[in-house]
Amino acid sequence: MCGIVGYIGYREAYPIVIKGLKRLEYRGYDSAGVMLYDGTDLKLSKTKGKVSDLEARASKEITTNGTIGMGHTRWATHGVPNDVNSHPHLSNSGDLAIIHNGIIENYAPLKEELIKRGYVFHSDTDSEVLVNLIEEIQKKEKLKLGKAIQIALTQVVGAYAIAVFDKKTPDEIVVARLGSPLAIGIGE
């Protein structure tokens, strides 16, 4: 079963997200990834394998500073377990990042429509389809992230827990769920 960890606060997000992912390892997974935002850039590192593999890769690929982050442990449903299909996924603009647990059953027709509109896909996942659907609605309707997500989710069939970050509104991670668990914590 997949796991999602997100953090927004004043402390460095990376160690908090990694610690959270390690706490979810007992659930089983085949890949892991992390997204960090340092106030300017979205930084992604993801890999097939364990959280320890992610830590080794992230230390070489990205700087791990930033006070906003999301992490994911994935159990493959759409697309084989590999680095490309691991989460998080970025939208075509690179502004949105998504982590998704669950399954979008109607992802194929949604993907076909987005391809017709010029979207390019790099993975075989239903999650990459969802983040680009959200971006398309956001751009077309000139909506804030939360409203775009709300509309996009009316177009999908399936079960999900998602966390979405938009670097244009870096003070929030928007989450939603249907049929999958999601817990939010607020602390000092």
Side-chain angles (χ1 to χ4, degrees):
M1 174 166 277
C2 304
I4 295 174
V5 176
Y7 174 80
I8 295 178
Y10 60 89
R11 295 185 289 171
E12 290 295 317
Y14 180 76
I16 295 166
V17 171
I18 292 295
K19 184 177 181 180
L21 292 178
K22 287 180 176 180
R23 287 182 175 169
L24 295 172
E25 286 185 300
Y26 73 93
R27 300 172 79 182
Y29 63 101
D30 54 42
S31 58
V34 64
M35 181 282 305
L36 299 167
Y37 184 67
D38 65 6
T40 304
D41 296 315
L42 285 177
K43 300 173 288 184
L44 258 65
S45 185
K46 51 192 193 169
T47 189
K48 177 183 174 185
K50 302 294 180 193
V51 174
S52 59
D53 299 323
L54 172 63
E55 288 179 287
R57 186 172 196 146
S59 70
K60 296 174 188 163
E61 283 185 337
I62 62 173
T63 57
T64 57
N65 60 315
T67 58
I68 298 171
M70 301 189 309
H72 190 259
T73 54
R74 175 181 186 252
W75 194 256
T77 52
H78 288 104
V80 298
N82 64 23
D83 297 352
V84 174
N85 289 332
S86 301
H87 296 216
H89 289 286
L90 295 179
S91 63
N92 274 198
S93 71
D95 288 343
L96 303 183
I98 193 169
I99 291 175
H100 165 228
N101 291 350
I103 189 166
I104 305 301
E105 296 170 16
N106 64 331
Y107 82 99
L110 294 170
K111 185 175 185 176
E112 287 176 29
E113 183 58 35
L114 289 167
I115 289 170
K116 289 178 188 174
R117 295 179 190 175
Y119 284 82
V120 176
F121 292 88
H122 306 285
S123 77
D124 299 319
T125 68
D126 52 344
S127 307
E128 188 182 13
V129 173
L130 182 54
V131 75
N132 282 302
L133 176 62
I134 294 165
E135 181 169 87
E136 174 68 7
I137 291 167
Q138 190 182 35
K139 287 187 333 189
K140 186 177 177 184
E141 304 292 328
K142 297 178 178 42
L143 297 172
K144 293 182 178 180
L145 180 62
K147 188 63 176 176
I149 291 171
Q150 186 179 24
I151 291 170
L153 292 176
T154 67
Q155 297 178 29
V156 301
V157 176
Y160 52 81
I162 62 171
V164 185
F165 176 78
D166 183 347
K167 73 178 189 178
K168 295 185 302 287
T169 54
D171 57 343
E172 65 184 15
I173 295 174
V174 177
V175 297
R177 66 173 282 280
L178 177 67
S180 293
L182 180 66
I184 298 171
I186 300 172
E188 295 297 320

